[in-house]
Amino acid sequence: MIDVEAFVDGERVPAVSGRTFDCVSPRDGRVIARVAEGDAADVDAAVAAARAAFEDGRWRDLHPRDRRRVLQRLAGLIDDHRVELARLETLDMGKPVSDALSVDLRVTVQTFEFFAEAIDKRYDEVAPTDRRTLATITREPLGVVAAVVPWNFPLMLAAWKVAPALAAGNSVVLKPAEQSPLTALRLGELAAEAGLPPGVLNVVPGFGPTAGAALGRHPDVDAVTFTGSGEVGRMFLRYAADSNLKQVSLELGGKSPQIVLRDAPDTETLAKAVVDGIFFNQGEVCSAGSRLLVHRSRKDELVDAVVRASEAMRPGDPLDPATTMGALVEKAHLDRVLGHLDTARQEGAVTLAGGNRVLEETGGYYVEPTVLDAVTPGMRAAQEEIFGPVLAVLPFDDEDEAIRLANGTPYGLAAAVWTRDLSKAHLMARAIRAGTVWVNCFDASDITVPFGGYAQSGFGRDKSLHALDKYTQLKTTWIQL
Ligand code: NAD
């Protein structure tokens, strides 16, 4: 059991109220840490520290090269501590430790490296006005940015926000999810060790309706960058409207289709991509390929192969490096996923694989990889984000129907098209309403490409140089010569 404090103005501090909350490991249901329970008073202190740091220029006015060096040192320190951080992530939210190392930590380090490098390599603009004027267009930081993040990739998603926000010269208050606060607090400490001045990055753990809402409503926060559910995303828009019209960007959920056309590659390749696409991270992935849209001529063979591959994948102790599927994040989420499975059966879906809680004797929250057949487009299993290891199979007869099905949910985060016909792939990619379309692959990713949603999957983009846009504003300076 460890005691974990908040990180405000360069120091570890208890909550102003003195309260703590228990951090439960989904691996075995045990309490692993007591965490400072930040609320409005802690948010006030963190925002005040962030504001003071921004106004006196201790970070934004440093030479860009010096800011680059600090973030590069931070990337190096995260890399040095990657085994410790990967274990913390696994204990805290249940993902396999091998994935925590090979995905979460690798991408977190790359993210800080990428945005560090960008700091002293971007130029501003001069507008093509007449010769007696000089009009410059410069990008300036926003001020105090609040980053509110979920629990499925706690450190990596925090990095996608914190790294570009800091690179642009802002101060940040980070609120991790209450289910997974541990690595965010280490990030604050490592940033200080790397030389980030006090107050520039503050971390306030706490619950959504208290700490999260206080950030959303705070009159001195200039922008909120949020990743999480659509329901809470809507609240942040309301908080902004009811307070100071702070900028809001939202990365929300998805119901991403894997579309298998008649001429798609071989069945074994497809089955592996489908299974990895939905069961990676226990299905707790916003872009998870949770709908398999398959041409009727390929359905039986592919579904057989997917069921075989699903049955071969057993959840296990996430701390075991051989484990490929871990535990769901918390008991409440386990109950939610099992509730979705009950509803799907009541609505007529047929369970071809999985469907149950397993390893209950460990005290942890494990669910088998689950494949649902006989799903129709209007069912909840075809429409709602389950955020667990549940695949819904829907056949189609032609490409128009495939596109209608693909676009037939409120979401638009990602999609994949499997075909050997390049023209068809391009045409489908154009017709699909999603922020990312993969062709003959799934979940391919790099820090150089933007990630974010269309429609109710949100707006604003993480990753790539485009991410800097949402942490800066344009200033025009017009000079009469
Ligand atoms: P959530 O919306 O419940 O919580 C996200 C964050 O919001 C947490 O820090 C939480 O404390 C805070 N919060 C909760 N209630 C709040 C309130 N009333 N006021 C202010 N803040 C509040 O989401 P979750 O269950 O943690 O995460 C799962 C969701 O995140 C899924 O919908 C998933 O698709 C989405 N997600 C999206 C992306 C993406 O990049 N598009 C990535 C990962 C996860």
Side-chain angles (χ1 to χ4, degrees), residues 124-125 137-140 142 472-476:
D124 287 319
E125 299 168 17
I137 305 166
T138 47
R139 285 207 164 268
E140 297 194 338
L142 300 172
T472 51
Q473 51 200 340
L474 292 178
K475 174 171 281 176
T476 298

Side-chain angles (χ1 to χ4, degrees), residues 149 151-152 175 178 208 227-229 235 239 252-253 286 385 387:
V149 295
W151 43 260
N152 57 338
K175 196 204 83 65
E178 48 272 43
T227 297
S229 61
M235 291 183 195
Y239 298 150
L252 308 174
C286 51
E385 183 182 45
F387 221 54

Side-chain angles (χ1 to χ4, degrees), residues 170-435:
N170 298 284
S171 299
V172 176
V173 180
L174 169 65
K175 196 204 83 65
E178 48 272 43
Q179 296 87 347
S180 59
L182 303 184
T183 48
L185 293 155
R186 286 293 288 135
L187 179 66
E189 293 171 341
L190 292 175
E193 199 178 323
L196 194 72
V200 178
L201 173 61
N202 307 275
V203 185
V204 180
F207 291 91
T210 47
L215 280 170
R217 294 196 180 105
H218 206 290
D220 210 20
V221 167
D222 298 292
V224 169
T225 170
F226 172 77
T227 297
S229 61
E231 188 191 346
V232 177
R234 284 183 164 78
M235 291 183 195
F236 275 101
L237 292 175
R238 284 189 208 111
Y239 298 150
D242 292 343
S243 58
N244 62 339
L245 291 176
K246 56 179 67 64
Q247 295 189 21
V248 177
S249 57
L250 303 175
E251 297 286 351
L252 308 174
K255 192 75 187 173
S256 301
Q258 295 242 36
I259 307 169
V260 176
L261 301 189
R262 188 202 288 269
D263 70 341
D266 67 280
T267 300
E268 288 311 310
T269 304
L270 288 171
K272 180 168 178 357
V274 169
V275 164
D276 290 349
I278 177 63
F279 300 134
F280 169 61
N281 213 47
Q282 305 73 243
E284 295 165 327
V285 182
C286 51
S287 56
S290 52
R291 291 184 297 153
L292 171 59
L293 310 184
V294 52
H295 191 272
R296 210 174 288 279
S297 66
R298 300 290 301 267
K299 183 184 168 221
D300 290 349
E301 196 189 342
L302 178 56
V303 169
D304 279 352
V306 166
V307 166
R308 275 198 311 279
S310 307
E311 285 171 349
M313 195 173 193
R314 308 298 305 165
D317 180 358
L319 275 184
D320 179 344
T323 294
T324 52
M325 191 171 171
L328 296 185
V329 68
E330 61 176 351
K331 176 72 168 53
H333 188 54
L334 170 78
D335 292 341
R336 200 175 146 257
V337 170
L338 295 176
H340 269 290
L341 292 178
D342 286 343
T343 306
R345 288 184 202 108
Q346 282 157 20
E347 289 188 341
V350 174
T351 309
L352 296 183
N356 299 301
R357 179 179 184 182
V358 288
L359 299 175
E360 202 168 337
E361 66 283 3
T362 62
Y365 316 127
Y366 301 86
V367 170
E368 297 171 297
T370 300
V371 180
L372 299 177
D373 198 6
V375 176
T376 54
M379 284 184 189
R380 286 180 60 189
Q383 289 291 324
E384 293 179 18
E385 183 182 45
I386 297 175
F387 221 54
V390 183
L391 177 71
V393 181
L394 295 98
F396 64 83
D397 290 303
D398 59 47
E399 281 135 39
D400 288 343
E401 187 185 3
I403 291 167
R404 270 199 310 279
L405 287 172
N407 290 341
T409 77
Y411 296 110
L413 192 54
V417 181
W418 295 86
T419 175
R420 291 197 173 90
D421 182 332
L422 196 56
S423 299
K424 224 178 249 179
H426 275 295
L427 290 171
M428 296 280 289
R430 282 186 186 172
I432 290 167
R433 187 188 59 185

